[in-house]
Amino acid sequence: MSYGSENFDPAPNLGAPASQPQRIRQLPLEVITKIAAGEVIERPASVVKELLENSVDAGATRIDVEIEQGGAELIRVVDDGCGIPPEDLPLAFASHATSKLVDADDLFRVGSYGFRGEALASIGGVAQVTLRSRLDPGRIGAEVFCDGGKLSEVRPWNGAPGTCIEVRRLFFNTPVRRKFLRATGTEAGHIAEQVTRLALARPTLTLKLTHNGRLVYEVPSSAGLRDRLRLFFGSEVEDRLMPVEAAQGPVRLSGFIADPACDAGNARLQYLFVNGRWIRDRALSHALQEAYRGLVMVGRHPVAFVFLELPPDQVDVNVHPTKSEVRFRDGHAVYHLVLASLREKLRSSDLVARLQVRPIGSFPNAVPLLQPSSTQPDPWARDFFAPRPALTQPSLANGGTGSEATTERQETPVTERTVPPEGPANLKAIQLYDAYLVVETPEGMLVIDQHALHERIIYEHWKERIGNGTMEIQRLLVPEPVDLPAEQAATALDNKALLERLGLGIEDFGGGTVLVTSYPAMFRNGAPADILRTAVEYLVGNDRPPGPEQLLEKLLALMACKAAIKAGDHLGPEEIAALIAQRGLADHTHHCPHGRPTALLFSRQELDRQFKRT
Ligand code: ADP
Ligand code: MG
């Protein structure tokens, strides 16, 4: 090992103020390398990104990526590119050594992915790397080994033309960084995401990814962009895509956007590429979200794959260490092009019909409740509507503050008495706007938000069942395969135990497919895939998820929201009665799981007073 005990790891307390003036010292080269590596190489996926880009820059038409243990043990990338001359092999590991840039002006016409000459130096500094390369069959190849920055002799090598690079034991000499690696599945998911991005950016490239000997992706060169979208994101997404194409001055936009009904809980299904580079861009994400404004619900994110092409001098790619952000010369024009062309596409598409394709009935629990009363004569008998074994008084002790608290205090006696003793007949209640229930109670007029209340009831009921271990689980005789983006599949599997507590049993099927083996019986007519997707979207949207209990609560709330009747659902008299009856039975029904109130009371006295009757 090269640096023995001088392992450099920035400890959290390094910056502690010194009582004495400290001397300024030039840092040793190996420390500089490790600091630089920290900028470029954050995790195994960063290594994969850099290696893939090098292969493409070398003109490769096929790239094989093999990883072990989420890339922490091994990352091997083999390409059929132009190769590296034997005498240049050691230089490949030198800092600021590149074959892609000659002078500073080149920076403004970068056509390659790489140009900084830093990646291999960084990777070589924090791993054990073997680089093998051969120019063509007529010439002998060579290999060199770089152990945490220390180079071996160059030796002859006789493999196939192209380059093979093996990165073993990433961060072996920076233990703190190594410790920060996440679960294998998570790291593998990030790697799969890098492969996905490149496969979309370069739709003629043949790509293969294997993890621990299992095939994750195999993308043939014959698979076009649309085939690739289907492969990576499943037919549910691909079926809903429509092509977009537009140009404005020197800027060209192309790609696919999904109809608004195909939305997601986070923005990860928004891919943006500029000149074949995947990038993140706040302004353009905003343009995208704006284009869908009014078409997707607040908090939901449209799905889109947008490719921009501009002359290289119109975009600066040298603004970010990993080149995942760019600066446009005319950012306004690009913003406007994205917004206007997407908006126009959405406007001209027959979205109304499509929006109805996803019926409310696809939310499992809502189905029977929404059927006409004749086919569902007894909503009281529904599972989650069934009275609970031990009927507890509604607890209003720890309510909110201010006006909400007042509302709660006022309605305390109401909650207990609105349970209709003999069912619907006694109840004076109507539904307004298919969203609110207005109920006469001895204390006053109660206005209930039907969705918020139902959501709360399901949530409470479910939570109690989980708490006392009486949650019914529906096992699937034939497990249902669900195709997820690899990153999401990995996250799902990492959280297998947690999902199981929710009654959601899953197994790895490989290749981004997860088998659902069981689901909570509460989702009786359930679409297990829907339940899984909801859970995973939330998990993926959180880089550092909270503790398991919090997560469980959040997932419960999300799923309850999905299962509950919606604003806009028309309810029959029995359904109204059942909902109101349940209000008296469940704890905490005064607020929905998101914290919004479920009901407001206009007290009898207040009504009388306002109308000057008293
Ligand atoms: P950059 O890509 O910015 O030039 P890197 O550190 O990633 O810097 O790579 C250094 C050099 O090594 C490249 O400029 C290129 O000449 C060579 N190289 C790296 N990977 C490959 C490869 N797969 N095929 C051919 N040449 C490569
Ligand atoms: Mg590079």
Side-chain angles (χ1 to χ4, degrees):
M1 217 154 293
S2 54
Y3 313 126
S5 59
E6 290 178 27
N7 282 347
F8 178 80
D9 253 317
N13 59 356
L14 266 186
S19 48
Q20 301 285 316
Q22 300 287 306
R23 301 296 306 276
I24 298 176
R25 281 158 304 182
Q26 183 72 50
L27 288 172
L29 185 63
E30 60 266 30
V31 177
I32 295 173
T33 308
K34 283 181 184 173
I35 291 174
E39 282 193 353
V40 187
I41 307 301
E42 188 200 345
R43 60 187 345 153
S46 337
V47 173
V48 171
K49 173 181 191 284
E50 294 295 337
L51 299 183
L52 286 175
E53 293 186 349
N54 280 345
S55 296
V56 174
D57 284 347
T61 64
R62 72 166 298 141
I63 309 175
D64 280 2
V65 183
E66 238 175 280
I67 58 169
E68 279 169 25
Q69 301 310 114
E73 281 310 305
L74 171 71
I75 295 168
R76 180 187 293 126
V77 174
V78 181
D79 69 46
D80 63 353
C82 66
I84 306 170
E87 60 276 19
D88 279 2
L89 277 189
L91 260 184
F93 286 105
S95 285
H96 312 297
T98 177
S99 57
K100 302 167 195 176
L101 210 65
V102 177
D103 58 37
D105 284 348
D106 288 347
L107 268 180
F108 301 99
R109 41 174 184 259
V110 173
S112 55
Y113 281 124
F115 55 82
R116 298 164 69 106
E118 262 175 349
L120 286 188
S122 299
I123 298 166
V126 292
Q128 296 169 333
V129 185
T130 311
L131 175 61
R132 306 183 163 108
S133 199
R134 186 172 185 179
L135 295 174
D136 56 67
R139 275 181 281 183
I140 196 135
E143 68 174 5
V144 70
F145 182 59
C146 181
D147 183 356
K150 201 173 120 209
L151 278 182
S152 74
E153 298 283 289
V154 177
R155 286 179 295 252
W157 178 71
N158 264 330
T163 301
C164 164
I165 179 160
E166 277 177 14
V167 178
R168 289 184 190 273
R169 301 186 57 215
L170 181 65
F171 300 140
F172 77 99
N173 55 356
T174 52
V176 174
R177 290 198 87 93
R178 190 157 170 104
K179 240 186 10 231
F180 268 95
L181 292 181
R182 306 281 299 274
T184 302
T186 307
E187 295 299 346
H190 284 285
I191 289 173
E193 175 62 19
Q194 291 298 340
V195 172
T196 304
R197 289 174 189 170
L198 188 74
L200 298 182
R202 304 276 161 164
T204 55
L205 201 60
T206 302
L207 269 166
K208 191 168 147 191
L209 173 66
T210 47
H211 183 208
N212 292 342
R214 290 177 74 170
L215 184 66
V216 181
Y217 288 137
E218 183 155 33
V219 193
S221 66
S222 58
L225 181 55
R226 222 170 157 148
D227 302 320
R228 289 172 188 229
L229 292 172
R230 178 180 288 265
L231 173 76
F232 292 120
F233 306 104
S235 54
E236 281 147 71
V237 168
E238 196 262 343
D239 283 347
R240 292 170 169 276
L241 295 176
M242 34 197 182
V244 274
E245 200 133 1
Q248 175 79 61
V251 190
R252 255 179 48 81
L253 178 153
S254 64
F256 293 94
I257 63 172
D259 78 59
C262 179
D263 59 3
N266 58 54
R268 297 205 178 202
L269 288 185
Q270 295 176 357
Y271 283 77
L272 197 58
F273 298 86
V274 172
N275 292 350
R277 235 181 246 287
W278 176 92
I279 60 146
R280 246 191 327 250
D281 189 286
R282 281 178 137 221
L284 296 185
S285 302
H286 187 264
L288 180 64
Q289 199 78 31
E290 267 307 283
Y292 279 81
R293 190 147 65 128
L295 297 171
V296 295
M297 293 214 315
V298 175
R300 303 292 297 172
H301 299 268
V303 173
F305 306 91
V306 174
F307 297 78
L308 291 166
E309 296 289 336
L310 318 77
D313 65 348
Q314 294 290 308
V315 50
D316 186 356
V317 291
N318 188 28
V319 296
H320 191 266
T322 66
K323 294 163 284 182
S324 54
E325 284 169 28
V326 299
R327 196 182 294 125
F328 297 103
R329 185 172 276 186
D330 187 353
H332 284 298
V334 182
Y335 180 94
H336 186 259
L337 176 64
V338 172
L339 175 58
S341 55
L342 267 53
R343 190 89 212 165
E344 172 56 24
K345 181 76 198 178
L346 292 165
R347 203 190 54 74
S348 62
S349 315
D350 182 14
L351 292 174
V352 181
R354 283 159 174 263
L355 280 171
Q356 288 164 350
V357 168
R358 188 178 181 181
I360 278 152
S362 73
F363 300 116
N365 237 347
V367 183
L369 193 69
L370 291 173
Q371 281 165 353
S373 310
S374 52
T375 58
Q376 185 71 25
D378 188 11
W380 299 77
R382 287 180 49 73
D383 185 29
F384 60 83
F385 272 165
R388 305 188 312 171
L391 184 59
T392 47
Q393 290 293 325
S395 137
L396 297 172
N398 45 7
T401 51
S403 57
E404 281 176 7
T406 319
T407 313
E408 284 159 18
R409 222 176 305 118
Q410 280 177 351
E411 60 169 293
T412 305
V414 181
T415 340
E416 288 143 31
R417 285 182 218 166
T418 42
V419 185
E422 285 120 42
N426 281 12
L427 188 74
K428 272 196 204 158
I430 53 163
Q431 189 188 29
L432 295 185
Y433 312 117
D434 284 351
Y436 299 105
L437 307 179
V438 180
V439 188
E440 182 198 85
T441 76
E443 279 63 37
M445 182 178 83
L446 193 63
V447 182
I448 295 174
D449 177 327
Q450 66 187 38
H451 169 72
L453 176 60
H454 193 207
E455 188 184 22
R456 184 83 227 184
I457 291 168
I458 295 173
Y459 174 85
E460 285 295 325
H461 183 79
W462 208 352
K463 197 171 158 187
E464 185 189 276
R465 291 251 175 140
I466 290 176
N468 63 21
T470 58
M471 197 175 65
E472 279 174 59
I473 290 169
Q474 179 71 52
R475 301 218 174 271
L476 289 163
L477 282 177
V478 183
E480 179 170 326
V482 182
D483 291 329
L484 295 170
E487 188 193 2
Q488 294 196 6
T491 307
L493 293 164
D494 280 350
N495 289 282
K496 188 168 171 306
L498 183 70
L499 295 174
E500 242 149 44
R501 287 184 61 194
L502 281 164
L504 200 56
I506 56 167
E507 295 295 337
D508 187 8
F509 191 63
T513 302
V514 171
L515 296 176
V516 178
T517 55
S518 68
Y519 65 95
M522 192 152 293
F523 284 97
R524 226 186 246 171
N525 305 307
D530 243 17
I531 306 170
L532 178 62
R533 281 179 209 282
T534 307
V536 174
E537 270 178 7
Y538 172 68
L539 289 167
V540 170
N542 273 277
D543 251 5
R544 300 206 178 279
E549 291 308 320
Q550 257 172 299
L551 206 54
L552 203 64
E553 294 237 333
K554 177 74 190 176
L555 290 180
L556 268 181
L558 273 170
M559 294 206 218
C561 179
K562 241 189 165 175
I565 54 168
K566 305 283 180 290
D569 292 350
H570 185 73
L571 304 181
E574 286 92 352
E575 292 157 344
I576 294 174
L579 201 53
I580 293 170
Q582 280 298 304
R583 177 162 193 274
L585 297 176
D587 288 337
H588 305 299
T589 47
H590 39 61
H591 281 87
C592 79
H594 304 303
R596 281 181 285 120
T598 61
L600 301 171
L601 180 77
F602 298 86
S603 75
R604 180 79 198 270
Q605 295 100 305
E606 184 60 20
L607 287 173
D608 289 346
R609 207 174 56 76
Q610 292 285 339
F611 288 107
K612 314 246 182 277
R613 287 185 170 276
T614 51

